[in-house]
Amino acid sequence: MSSTETSPRPKDIAAEKGMVNVQIDGHWIQVPRGTRMIEACKIAEKEVPHYCYHPKLSSPGNCRMCMVQMGMPPRPAPGADPAYQDDGYQEISWMPRPVIACANTVAENMGIRTNTDAIKKSRENVLEFLLINHPLDCPICDKAGECRLQEFSVEHGQGESRFKEDKVKKPKNVKIGPRITLDDERCIMCSRCIRFMDEVAHEPVLGFSDRGTHTTVGVYPGRELSNNYGLNTVDLCPVGALTSNDFRFKMRTWFLKETPSIDTHCGTGTNISIWTRGNKIFRITPRQNDDVNSCWMPDSHRLSYSCPTDETRLTAPLIKADGIHEETCWNQSIRGAADALKQFDPSEIAVIASGRQTNEELLMMRTLAAELETEQIGIVSRLQESDDMLISSDRNPNTTGAKLVLASDDPGASLCHILGNIRDGKTKALVVASEDLLEAASFTEDDLRALELLIVIDHQTSATAQAADMVLPGAAPAEKRGSMVNVTGRLQKLNAACVPPGDARSDWEIITDLILALSGDAPHEGPGSIDAVFETLANTVDEFQEIKLASIPDLGQVITETGVTIPLVERENQRRANGEIVG
C-alpha cells in the first residue's frame, strides 16, 4: 500500500482548515476558500496588473488587464473516481483562453499561470488598446509618479504604438465638483469612481455615457460631485483623470515626504499620510486601516490642514503690556507665567485642558493642576451629529484618552463649574490649552475680561489668545509626536511631519517648563523626552501599562472597550461577510 493511499490527501488537509490548494506558477499554496484569484496570486507574491479591481469595491471585470491562465482537473467519466497523482494532487487541464483574475474565485486543485507567453501577449494587447486614445501627457500630468497606467505600460506594454490615426479627443479640465477636476481624455473606464460613489458614498452622481471609444465618464445632468467623500475618487483613480483642485499642479509626488499619522478633527482618528516638502504640507491622504477608516476619509478633514507658514500661526511667546501683546523669550515668558500664578490661592486657579491634546499633553496638564493644587480641571466637549460614515459625533479626537488620563467618566462636565466660578468671582486665574473658549465653549468676552490672569497655550491665534495676558505658542497636530485614543478605544500614534515655526515648541515641553518653574525643581528633574512622558503615563494609568510610545503599531492597538462603532466600517464588514467585496 503506497503512502499516498494511507496519508490524507492535500485537499482533505486544506478542507479541515477551510482552505483550498491552488497551484500558482508551478507552486502549490493553500488559500482560504472563496479567495479571488487575484488575491491568491498576491498571497503567492505574484503581481497581477489591474485597473478596475479594488478590494473595497465590487468587481465588474471591465478593464481586462488581470488576465491569467486557469486550469482545473478534468471531469471524471460517469461512474469513475477522480485520479490522483503520487503527490496527492489531480492533473490540471489548462483552459486555452485566459480569464480575468479579479472576478473569479479559487477552487480546490485549481492552477493559475501569470507569466506565460500568451498571458504576456494578452496584457500587451490590452495596454495597446488602453493607450490608443490616451494623450500620454505624463510630463504634465499630476498623476505622474504614482500612475498605474504609466507603471504597467513600462512593465507590460510594447514600448511603442502602432496606432497611426487621430486620437479621439475628449473633454479636458472639466470642473465636475467644487473640489475635483476631470481630464476625460485620460480616463481608461475602470469605473472605480462610479462604484465608489454608488457603493460607499451612496450618492451615485457619476456614470458612463456613449459607447466604444467615445465612452466618457461624467456627472449626471444638473448634479455635481460635491459629496464630502468625493476626493476619495481621486485616490482611487489609477490614472490622472480625476485630480484634486487643492493639489493640482502644485508639486511632483516624488519630491514629497510621506509621514504616517492620524486625523485630529473628530474621535474616529482616521489614519492618514501627511505629504510634505521642506516644512510645508501639500496634501493629506487616507491610510488604510480596516478597523478605523478602511481606505477613506472625508474631504472636510482632508482639506483642513494647517501649515507652519499659515498667517494665523503663533510663532513667539507673547506678554500683554498696556493692552498690547509684545514678543518675549521663553525664559521670561515661563518665569513670568509661574510668578503670576503663584500670586493666586489654589482655589482661585482653574486649568482647561483639551480633548484635542495628546495623552502625553493631558498627563502634563494633570500634573500642572496638581502642582497648582487646584481640582478645577476639565476639557471642552464637542458633541455634534455624526454623518453616519466616518465623522464621529465626538468632534474631539481624544476624549477617550482624556477620560483615561484625567480619570474622569465625563471630563467635560467640570467646564460649567469652572465657568460658574469665574462669573461668581471665585476663579481669578485660568490656564487654557488648545482651545478657543469663545468659539467652542459657552464663554463670553466678559467672562475672559473678568479674569485677573489668562494664560493660553495654543498654536493658532484666536479670540481667547487675543484676550490672554500671556500666550505660549505650541505645536500643531502635524508638528508633534504623541498618542491619542479614538472613540472605539484604539490607541494610535501621531508623528511629526513638520517642525513648529519660529520659537513655537511642543506643548508637553511648554507645560513641563511651567511645572518646573512653579516647583523650583531643576530642569533635569522633568521628563527629557516625550517617550519619558509616555513611560510615566504607562506607570500611572492602567490602560497604558507595558506599552511604549515607540512600540505602538502603525495601525494602533485597542486598550479599552467603549462599545462605540464606526458606521462605515460596520457596513464594510457586512459587505465582506456577504461576499460583495474582498478586503
Side-chain angles (χ1 to χ4, degrees):
M1 183 178 291
S2 69
S3 59
T4 53
E5 291 173 332
T6 57
S7 302
R9 292 196 173 96
K11 72 179 185 62
D12 299 319
I13 298 173
E16 290 177 356
K17 298 180 287 187
M19 313 279 275
V20 293
N21 295 289
V22 183
Q23 186 197 76
I24 300 177
D25 290 342
H27 299 283
W28 288 99
I29 64 169
Q30 290 185 350
V31 300
R33 190 185 304 279
T35 301
R36 302 280 175 94
M37 292 169 66
I38 195 170
E39 292 293 329
C41 293
K42 191 184 297 182
I43 294 172
E45 299 182 352
K46 300 289 184 182
E47 185 191 46
V48 176
H50 58 274
Y51 294 113
C52 70
Y53 172 74
H54 192 285
K56 303 294 183 183
L57 303 173
S58 58
S59 299
N62 57 344
C63 82
R64 320 307 289 181
M65 189 67 188
C66 62
M67 295 286 195
V68 295
Q69 189 177 9
M70 187 191 84
M72 289 294 294
R75 184 174 299 176
D81 294 328
Y84 290 92
Q85 302 174 112
D86 291 341
D87 58 3
Y89 297 104
Q90 294 177 266
E91 183 183 1
I92 296 174
S93 294
W94 296 94
M95 295 174 63
R97 294 181 179 178
V99 299
I100 54 173
C102 68
N104 292 303
T105 57
V106 296
E108 175 58 38
N109 215 123
M110 175 184 278
I112 300 173
R113 289 172 175 168
T114 66
N115 56 6
T116 63
D117 291 341
I119 294 302
K120 291 176 182 176
K121 190 64 180 176
S122 174
R123 290 170 187 163
E124 285 181 7
N125 294 339
V126 171
L127 270 173
E128 188 173 19
F129 273 110
L130 287 174
L131 289 168
I132 277 181
N133 291 303
H134 194 280
L136 293 176
D137 53 350
C138 306
I140 63 167
C141 178
D142 258 13
K143 199 73 175 182
E146 45 189 24
C147 172
R148 303 301 281 170
L149 186 66
Q150 194 178 44
E151 293 170 1
F152 290 151
S153 177
V154 172
E155 297 168 6
H156 305 284
Q158 296 185 0
E160 60 181 358
S161 175
R162 293 178 294 170
F163 188 71
K164 305 301 180 186
E165 290 76 15
D166 292 334
K167 291 178 183 287
V168 175
K169 295 181 180 177
K170 296 179 182 175
K172 190 171 181 61
N173 196 17
V174 181
K175 307 293 183 188
I176 61 172
R179 298 177 290 278
I180 298 176
T181 297
L182 167 67
D183 286 302
D184 206 0
E185 58 185 3
R186 297 177 188 152
C187 180
I188 58 169
M189 312 304 153
C190 73
S191 79
R192 283 185 179 186
C193 54
I194 296 172
R195 284 175 283 144
F196 172 83
M197 293 306 300
D198 184 13
E199 299 168 9
V200 181
H202 301 295
E203 189 176 350
V205 296
L206 297 177
F208 286 139
S209 59
D210 295 326
R211 304 189 69 180
T213 58
H214 295 279
T215 302
T216 60
V217 65
V219 290
Y220 286 106
R223 303 288 299 275
E224 63 176 8
L225 182 52
S226 58
N227 188 279
N228 196 32
Y229 289 81
L231 280 175
N232 291 291
T233 60
V234 175
D235 304 328
L236 283 169
C237 184
V239 295
L242 294 174
T243 50
S244 164
N245 295 343
D246 178 65
F247 182 67
R248 187 177 166 92
F249 298 137
K250 287 186 178 176
M251 183 55 63
R252 288 300 191 188
T253 55
W254 54 81
F255 289 136
L256 298 177
K257 182 186 73 172
E258 181 181 6
T259 304
S261 192
I262 56 172
D263 174 63
T264 58
H265 290 91
C266 76
T268 298
T270 293
N271 287 212
I272 60 172
S273 291
I274 304 172
W275 299 82
T276 58
R277 186 183 187 194
N279 211 33
K280 182 177 174 61
I281 301 173
F282 281 87
R283 66 175 180 178
I284 304 286
T285 55
R287 183 166 53 89
Q288 183 174 356
N289 186 336
D290 290 345
D291 293 316
V292 179
N293 58 285
S294 183
C295 298
W296 327 115
M297 74 178 299
D299 295 0
S300 53
H301 293 190
R302 181 196 300 250
L303 299 176
S304 297
Y305 58 86
S306 61
C307 286
T309 52
D310 287 353
E311 294 180 356
T312 57
R313 287 302 312 273
L314 293 165
T315 58
L318 303 173
I319 290 182
K320 186 173 281 184
D322 299 328
I324 299 175
H325 280 131
E326 295 181 353
E327 290 189 9
T328 183
C329 65
W330 274 110
N331 285 339
Q332 188 172 350
S333 61
I334 292 293
R335 188 168 58 249
D339 291 343
L341 286 168
K342 288 177 181 176
Q343 306 304 313
F344 296 91
D345 185 83
S347 63
E348 297 175 328
I349 304 174
V351 174
I352 296 180
S354 175
R356 294 169 166 176
Q357 289 185 294
T358 64
N359 298 317
E360 297 77 13
E361 293 163 354
L362 286 164
L363 177 67
M364 299 313 297
M365 292 296 284
R366 190 184 80 177
T367 307
L368 174 65
E371 185 62 39
L372 292 168
E373 299 179 8
T374 178
E375 296 181 355
Q376 293 189 82
I377 180 171
I379 68 169
V380 177
S381 298
R382 283 188 176 77
L383 292 176
Q384 298 179 31
E385 191 172 348
S386 165
D387 72 343
D388 198 36
M389 295 278 282
L390 288 178
I391 300 179
S392 169
S393 58
D394 185 356
R395 298 300 203 265
N396 278 332
N398 197 27
T399 298
T400 309
K403 290 178 180 178
L404 299 177
V405 177
L406 302 181
S408 169
D409 292 335
D410 187 5
S414 57
L415 193 67
C416 292
H417 178 69
I418 293 173
L419 180 57
N421 282 346
I422 292 173
R423 290 176 176 172
D424 292 341
K426 297 177 182 176
T427 297
K428 299 176 182 177
L430 184 63
V431 180
V432 185
S434 303
E435 292 290 358
D436 181 1
L437 299 177
L438 298 182
E439 182 216 23
S442 302
F443 282 63
T444 65
E445 293 183 0
D446 289 338
D447 296 328
L448 299 183
R449 277 195 290 266
L451 292 165
E452 295 181 18
L453 176 64
L454 175 59
I455 299 173
V456 168
I457 303 169
D458 208 343
H459 67 278
Q460 282 192 310
T461 57
S462 66
T464 303
Q466 290 286 347
D469 298 289
M470 297 180 188
V471 180
L472 308 177
E479 299 162 6
K480 57 187 174 187
R481 283 183 72 209
S483 64
M484 292 184 175
V485 185
N486 79 350
V487 288
T488 67
R490 177 173 291 270
L491 176 66
Q492 303 188 111
K493 277 191 302 188
L494 288 93
N495 291 308
C498 306
V499 177
D503 290 336
R505 306 165 62 196
S506 294
D507 292 25
W508 74 269
E509 294 178 303
I510 299 170
I511 306 165
T512 297
D513 285 352
L514 187 53
I515 294 169
L516 292 173
L518 287 165
S519 64
D521 292 336
H524 70 270
E525 296 184 63
S529 67
I530 193 168
D531 296 88
V533 179
F534 192 91
E535 187 176 345
T536 305
L537 185 65
N539 292 332
T540 53
V541 181
D542 291 344
E543 286 79 359
F544 296 87
Q545 276 188 0
E546 300 181 0
I547 300 175
K548 293 183 178 180
L549 180 60
S551 68
I552 299 173
D554 284 345
L555 300 182
Q557 65 185 93
V558 176
I559 62 169
T560 185
E561 294 294 335
T562 63
V564 178
T565 58
I566 300 170
L568 186 145
V569 173
E570 290 296 299
R571 285 197 291 273
E572 185 176 285
N573 290 339
Q574 188 58 54
R575 293 187 71 203
R576 189 184 300 114
N578 295 340
E580 299 173 30
I581 59 174
V582 172

